[in-house]
Amino acid sequence: MTAHPWPLLDGIAYGGDYNPEQWSRDVWDEDVALMRKAGVNLVSVGIFSWAMLEPREGEFDFSWLDELLDLLHANGVAVDLGTPTAAPPAWFYATYPDARVVTADGTVLGFGSRGMVSHSAPEYRTAIARVAGELARRYAEHPAVVLWHVHNEYGAPVSDDFSPRAVAAWREWLRERYGSLDALNAAWGTAFWGQVVREWDHVVAPAATASIANPSTKLDWARFTDEQLRACFRIERDAIRAHATQPVTTNFMAHQNYNTDLWRWAQEVDVVSDDHYLWSPDPDAHVGLALSADLTRSVAGGRPWMLMEHSTSAVNWQGRNIAKRPGEMHRNAFTHLGRGADAIMFFQWRASRSGAEKFHSAMLPHAGASSRVFREVVDLGARLAAVEELRGTQVRADVAVLYDWESLWAQDLEWRPSDALGFRERVRAYYERLWRDGVTVDLAHPEHDLSRYRLVVAPASYLLTQAAAANLTAYVEAGGTLLVSCFSGVVDEHDAVHVGGFGAPLRTALGVAVEEFLPMREGETCAVDLDGTEVTADVWTEDVVLHGAEVRGTYRGGPADGMPAVTRHRHGQGTGWYVSTALGVDALAPVLRGVYADAGVVPPGHPEGLEVVTRQGGTADFHVVVNHRAEPAELAASGTELLSGAPVDGTFRVGPGDVAVIRTPRAQGGGR
Ligand code: GAL
């Protein structure tokens, strides 16, 4: 087994963002006493403290942080030390007004909230290198510091920046990427609408335009923006590494983020960490949580990762902020844990009295330590201590769902066949089907080595390079089962339609061609006849032409009446399935039954709503069980339930809404 990504802390990390600069010194003593009570062993400090650390440019005041780190260390609480660069101080904005972000409509964003200034501005880059470097120099040897936390959630709250500084950097970036204007004009297809550029100075950023901007330009702009953010991360990371040896992380927002290509970001960090918040309008938000956790584990290459932030109860930034009910925080935490997290952290330790987040829940709420939330926080700390053996164990999946930020960026642009069909919605539908069937999945990039998976699902993989399509085709040839959804393999890396038509690069693997997209009106539905089982489809249908595939589902009604809706194609040693419409989670069930049979995937047959994910250790399997149901549930298992210490002999019963971790020694087998 390779070394753990954060070796300086034992057990499962437990704690949250800690912002004591908002409180008087006496409160700090109460904080550490209550942290000990809750079993907190790690806090993230200093994330928004630039104004306190560098009160005037180049003048540093570390006195309060010295005292704080010593206090935490004396109380057995380790520190994930933040660099404060997501909230530049007032002096920065006043001294460098040209470094401010400009939005697409020309609004200049100033001081008074948070969010960094222009990530392309040399003044900002100099300032972040200085503050990160000074922090690292001072605290490299501090025994409390086990991890560095660079910045906060790159890409939020702003990522697009149309300031003059950014536009200059954009032109440089394009020169490097394309070498010549001829190459750029070809890649962007600028012959359309006469957008040919003949001088580098005439290249514009895709800010506000009269009609829609060139989509190829916008796709490159998304890549550029992501790379500018990453360049800022690297500057800070390297400034830290010049002095310190502790691992470096920055908190991602996996499935909730839009602007950062986490396959690339994960290559830059020592530790992958993620923030996740339930999306209140979604009654099944715990499924989205599981997806986010699986995505985070996948970008981490299967290695242990940190849940850097979630909430003990309600957030404050959604329209209706729904409080978590008793037990829900535990279920959320154990889902992350089951899906590979070795750290369960929150925003934040103590609720803030002032400022934008005073209505956000915390580990220690405004109601204080005699509250339901704090009691659950103490209980969770004890439970995590009881399952510390999980640390370093890994989740293995037989199924992969493809996930590609570049495809997401391209697909979400304007003027597509139907704005009711989206990448994330399709990913969620397929993921949720697999979740309900109890099948654990990884997320994967279409150009990854997929050979270890029995089944690969490609939901709306709109942008697919020739290399990715060749990879998928080779996967099928070698015996894999591939399930592709509608609106896949449509464009190349420049957002140009593939030569040969929609889906052309996948024709060999799937045995079909898509002649025309046939989206439906709002509210319109049609049926799909799957060998006698009728399911309902909406939003999207296609005119699919067979090139060797067999028909497994036929449209009844709608614009594609009588045409193939679901097809199956034997190619080489494997099978390629195609679903040309946007089936919902229930309608996907009969389709997936056939697909599982081809792939040799056997769903465990747990009652729906009982989530069981296995982490494999050297000598034992750990089944992390989360019961989302209002009734008790049973599963076949044997070994020891770690939270209670009770033996499990054949059948385990988990109470309504409860969680459990069952250790099954490898020699005994069973459990799934
Ligand atoms: C996160 C952010 C935290 C806090 C939290 C509230 O996105 O990193 O600083 O604002 O949201 O939910």
Side-chain angles (χ1 to χ4, degrees):
M1 218 182 262
T2 52
H4 197 278
W6 58 97
L8 300 175
L9 188 70
D10 293 333
I12 305 295
Y14 184 52
D17 283 18
Y18 181 37
N19 299 302
E21 63 270 34
Q22 298 170 15
W23 300 90
S24 57
R25 181 63 183 76
D26 52 315
V27 176
W28 299 10
D29 292 322
E30 188 193 26
D31 282 333
V32 289
L34 291 173
M35 283 177 192
R36 290 171 71 133
K37 183 167 183 196
V40 165
N41 58 9
L42 181 69
V43 289
S44 304
V45 166
I47 297 173
F48 296 104
S49 310
W50 199 344
M52 276 64 82
L53 291 169
E54 193 179 356
R56 274 164 295 279
E57 184 166 13
E59 264 180 42
F60 290 91
D61 174 10
F62 292 116
S63 54
W64 66 274
L65 193 53
D66 289 349
E67 190 177 354
L68 178 71
L69 297 196
D70 291 348
L71 177 71
L72 289 165
H73 184 60
N75 283 276
V77 179
V79 169
D80 165 35
L81 188 52
T83 67
T85 52
W91 59 254
F92 184 89
Y93 289 85
T95 314
Y96 304 109
D98 292 344
R100 290 174 297 172
V101 167
V102 177
T103 63
D105 65 1
T107 305
V108 181
L109 303 180
F111 180 64
S113 177
R114 69 170 165 185
M116 65 181 180
V117 287
S118 170
H119 41 263
S120 300
E123 302 87 338
Y124 177 67
R125 292 181 172 199
T126 302
I128 61 176
R130 186 175 57 223
V131 69
E134 289 301 320
L135 273 165
R137 195 212 310 260
R138 186 157 191 104
Y139 298 112
E141 307 294 333
H142 198 289
V145 178
V146 297
L147 185 69
W148 293 94
H149 180 302
V150 168
H151 199 77
N152 191 63
E153 294 185 339
Y154 278 98
V158 285
S159 55
D160 281 337
D161 168 27
F162 297 91
S163 67
R165 297 275 195 276
V167 174
W170 161 240
R171 291 189 182 129
E172 272 315 300
W173 185 84
L174 290 170
R175 265 180 199 265
E176 190 125 316
R177 185 174 178 83
Y178 290 108
S180 73
L181 283 170
D182 285 349
L184 179 138
N185 281 308
W188 288 1
T190 54
F192 183 81
W193 280 359
Q195 293 169 348
V196 180
V197 272
R198 305 198 198 281
E199 302 290 338
W200 282 104
D201 284 353
H202 296 178
V203 175
V204 294
T209 42
S211 182
I212 75 163
N214 182 320
S216 311
T217 309
K218 289 188 90 167
L219 177 56
D220 268 347
W221 176 259
R223 293 178 174 126
F224 160 76
T225 300
D226 177 40
E227 287 191 18
Q228 292 298 95
L229 294 170
R230 215 158 39 246
C232 287
F233 169 77
R234 272 193 221 105
I235 288 168
E236 293 198 38
R237 181 200 61 197
D238 295 349
I240 291 168
R241 283 186 181 163
H243 303 285
T245 55
Q246 298 95 333
V248 181
T249 190
T250 182
N251 45 342
F252 299 159
M253 292 170 286
H255 191 51
Q256 287 173 328
N257 127 299
Y258 187 86
N259 307 297
T260 47
D261 180 345
L262 297 185
W263 297 118
R264 292 203 163 90
W265 278 83
Q267 307 304 312
E268 305 283 353
V269 297
D270 299 320
V271 171
V272 165
S273 64
D274 192 51
D275 297 350
H276 182 270
Y277 292 95
L278 295 181
W279 181 234
S280 306
D282 179 0
D284 293 320
H286 55 275
V287 180
L289 183 160
L291 167 54
S292 177
D294 285 339
L295 181 56
T296 307
R297 182 189 68 250
S298 301
V299 300
R303 303 186 73 207
W305 57 277
M306 304 183 83
L307 176 66
M308 189 59 88
E309 292 179 22
H310 71 320
S311 65
T312 56
S313 190
V315 299
N316 66 311
W317 43 267
Q318 300 179 7
R320 296 172 186 225
N321 296 291
I322 307 302
K324 294 186 183 177
R325 300 319 299 138
E328 192 173 357
M329 178 185 82
H330 285 246
R331 290 195 294 283
N332 293 167
F334 274 75
T335 293
H336 286 295
L337 192 71
R339 293 175 190 275
D342 275 3
I344 300 295
M345 310 279 288
F346 291 94
F347 177 83
Q348 61 176 329
W349 163 253
R350 182 187 278 269
S352 300
R353 283 189 59 221
S354 306
E357 298 187 315
K358 58 185 176 294
F359 293 122
H360 198 290
S361 60
M363 298 175 84
L364 185 60
H366 292 298
S370 328
S371 59
R372 195 266 308 165
V373 167
F374 190 70
R375 280 190 294 276
E376 282 205 35
V377 163
V378 172
D379 191 27
L380 181 57
R383 285 177 150 194
L384 293 175
V387 300
E388 63 178 18
E389 288 171 71
L390 282 178
R391 178 183 160 90
T393 62
Q394 299 203 345
V395 175
R396 300 219 195 290
D398 289 339
V399 178
V401 175
L402 299 187
Y403 199 103
D404 179 10
W405 275 271
E406 295 207 349
S407 189
L408 163 67
W409 296 333
Q411 191 178 149
D412 266 18
L413 297 178
E414 306 99 324
W415 288 15
R416 56 190 202 260
S418 169
D419 57 11
L421 186 86
F423 170 73
R424 285 195 164 150
E425 180 279 329
R426 280 296 83 201
V427 168
R428 170 62 185 261
Y430 280 88
Y431 180 87
E432 185 161 342
R433 182 67 263 152
L434 290 150
W435 187 93
R436 288 186 190 282
D437 292 339
V439 176
T440 302
V441 308
D442 285 341
L443 286 297
H445 187 275
E447 292 186 23
H448 281 168
D449 175 7
L450 301 166
S451 56
R452 70 175 183 277
Y453 299 110
R454 290 175 181 275
L455 169 63
V456 171
V457 181
S461 296
Y462 164 76
L463 184 158
L464 211 56
T465 61
Q466 288 290 354
N471 187 40
L472 296 176
T473 306
Y475 166 76
V476 175
E477 252 156 37
T481 301
L482 174 69
L483 169 60
V484 177
S485 94
C486 55
F487 209 38
S488 290
V490 178
V491 299
D492 66 10
E493 61 272 35
H494 301 301
D495 197 39
V497 173
H498 279 294
V499 174
F502 306 137
L506 290 174
R507 195 162 300 166
T508 311
L510 301 178
V512 295
V514 177
E515 214 165 271
E516 195 177 10
F517 300 133
L518 307 172
M520 289 192 274
R521 294 192 169 79
E522 193 170 353
E524 188 181 355
T525 62
C526 67
V528 173
D529 178 356
L530 298 159
D531 285 335
T533 306
E534 278 221 343
V535 296
T536 304
D538 63 0
V539 174
W540 187 276
T541 65
E542 291 174 352
D543 181 347
V544 171
V545 177
L546 301 174
H547 284 256
E550 54 173 308
V551 177
R552 298 299 290 262
T554 305
Y555 287 111
R556 301 280 179 239
D561 188 26
M563 293 175 171
V566 179
T567 59
R568 174 179 180 270
H569 184 55
R570 292 288 303 172
H571 175 65
Q573 304 299 305
T575 312
W577 287 75
Y578 187 58
V579 177
S580 68
T581 180
L583 296 179
V585 177
D586 291 337
L588 280 172
V591 177
L592 265 291
R593 274 198 289 276
V595 174
Y596 292 149
D598 276 340
V601 170
V602 183
H606 298 314
E608 199 170 287
L610 181 67
E611 185 177 0
V612 183
V613 180
T614 301
R615 291 183 63 159
Q616 299 182 352
T619 56
D621 285 343
F622 297 86
H623 310 293
V624 180
V625 182
V626 179
N627 187 5
H628 298 278
R629 298 151 56 90
E631 312 86 54
E634 290 189 346
L635 71 149
S638 46
T640 308
E641 200 287 303
L642 296 180
L643 300 178
S644 62
V648 179
D649 194 6
T651 303
F652 180 74
R653 190 179 157 89
V654 54
D658 210 352
V659 300
V661 178
I662 302 162
R663 181 186 56 213
T664 305
R666 192 58 56 62
Q668 262 179 266
R672 279 236 261 194

